[in-house]
Each structure stands twice: as structure tokens, then as C-alpha cells.
Amino acid sequence: MRQFYDLEQEKESILWANVGREHKFDFWHEDIYNLPLEYPHVFKMIHGEFQDYTGTDSYPIFSTKLRDIFNEFIPKERIEWIHLTVENKDGSLHDAYMPRFIPMPHMIEVLNEKLSVFTEHGQIMVPRLSTEKTKDIHFIRLVENSLINYVSVDLKKAMQKAKVTGVKFKKVKMYP
């Protein structure tokens, strides 16, 4: 049976990056599709140091190492990466990336529609991943009202083998 894991930040209350209020920060929903592939503003670490998987105030960002692992599992015509710069408190700069799917994914493509719970406006309240609809997928980002990331068991194993920092995995119940 197909298995996915919710990809979560390991130390949620400690690691956190922010671009700052003085800059426009449109990473929510469809706005991410209007951003250039070279994001012009620097993310500054608020708590902790930049990890391979680091949270921001909307999307998690990935290190070059983590981006390269994901590229092994996702066809290049299905994803592009927005390049970011992250500054640690000591002033050191790191390349970071935010994934953007091509084309923008529709949640119905991966969810069991009958068992998932939606608001009256069609936003996802309780997602239920379909084993059938996810059979050829390794990374899922729910874009609607919740920014949830899922990885396949194969991608999880590759991340663990590479000793990716800043991430923990939570097994997700799958549905037909």
C-alpha cells in the first residue's frame, strides 16, 4: 500500500526565518506563481540557524542539498525552484529554495474527495490522501488554505540517508 508522511519542521518553535515587514511577501496560495525565480529580498533567521528544512511565516524553505534530493524524485517539467537567500544571525548567507509546481496543482488530483472535508467555499479542512491518486507521486504540497507538505516513503528514506536537518516525519493515514 502507498504510504506518505507529513513533512514537519523538527523544532517548530526554534527555527524560523522571515523576510521582514518592509518587503512584499506573497508566498500564499496562487501568489507564489507571480514571483520571479530569483526572489530579491533576504530572509533573516529569527530563531536558530538555517537548516536543510526551515520554516518561514508561510512556506518552508529548502537547502540546496534538500532541493537536489527532491529533484531526483520529481520530474523537472513538474517543478521549478524559487531561489532565496537566508542570513543567519552571525551574518553568514545561505542559498535556499522554495518549490513551485508546474502547473499549479489541484488538490482533487491527490485527495479522496468523498472522505476529505471541505468548507462551504471549497477549501480543504481535513485532507484525506488517496492511495490510487498518489501512486506515481513523491511530493505533495496542499496549496489551498493549508500549506501541508507530504513525502513518499521513498523520498523520506532518501532524506534520512542524506541526514537532512530540521525535519521530522509524521505518518499519514491513507484512503482508497
Side-chain angles (χ1 to χ4, degrees):
M1 180 169 152
R2 188 82 169 139
Q3 183 60 60
F4 274 84
Y5 291 82
D6 190 357
L7 193 58
E8 299 176 350
Q9 187 169 304
E10 186 176 42
K11 298 176 182 176
E12 197 164 323
S13 62
I14 298 172
L15 300 173
W16 197 61
N18 192 330
V19 73
R21 303 258 181 249
E22 67 274 15
H23 302 297
K24 191 172 181 179
F25 186 49
D26 290 333
F27 288 100
W28 285 97
H29 308 296
E30 294 84 9
D31 291 342
I32 194 171
Y33 290 87
N34 298 321
L35 292 175
L37 289 179
E38 286 291 332
Y39 189 70
H41 309 297
V42 175
F43 280 73
K44 295 187 180 194
M45 290 302 300
I46 306 298
H47 305 285
E49 299 294 317
F50 179 66
Q51 303 281 309
D52 292 318
Y53 186 82
T54 300
T56 70
D57 53 358
S58 58
Y59 277 91
I61 52 180
F62 298 8
S63 68
T64 303
K65 173 182 173 180
L66 187 52
R67 179 206 60 186
D68 292 347
I69 293 168
F70 274 63
N71 280 339
E72 294 175 24
F73 288 85
I74 302 168
K76 64 181 176 182
E77 65 273 2
R78 295 278 303 156
I79 196 166
E80 57 189 5
W81 295 92
I82 299 171
H83 179 249
L84 312 166
T85 302
V86 176
E87 182 180 348
N88 275 336
K89 288 186 178 190
D90 66 2
S92 60
L93 299 176
H94 302 273
D95 288 323
Y97 299 87
M98 188 169 294
R100 179 165 65 187
F101 288 98
I102 310 167
M104 186 171 75
H106 297 284
M107 298 311 98
I108 305 309
E109 294 174 4
V110 296
L111 295 178
N112 178 314
E113 293 175 67
K114 292 179 182 172
L115 298 177
S116 294
V117 179
F118 299 89
T119 67
E120 61 186 44
H121 302 292
Q123 294 178 318
I124 304 164
M125 284 181 62
V126 181
R128 302 287 190 226
L129 292 181
S130 165
T131 54
E132 180 61 30
K133 291 181 178 182
T134 59
K135 64 182 176 184
D136 296 325
I137 298 174
H138 290 281
F139 178 52
I140 298 168
R141 171 168 281 167
L142 296 185
V143 180
E144 300 278 327
N145 62 338
S146 56
L147 302 172
I148 300 171
N149 296 287
Y150 299 107
V151 294
S152 69
V153 67
D154 296 330
L155 184 47
K156 174 187 176 252
K157 287 178 183 177
M159 292 170 66
Q160 289 173 321
K161 182 179 179 184
K163 297 183 174 141
V164 168
T165 60
V167 68
K168 65 181 178 179
F169 305 94
K170 182 178 171 187
K171 194 173 187 177
V172 174
K173 185 174 179 181
M174 300 297 292
Y175 297 86

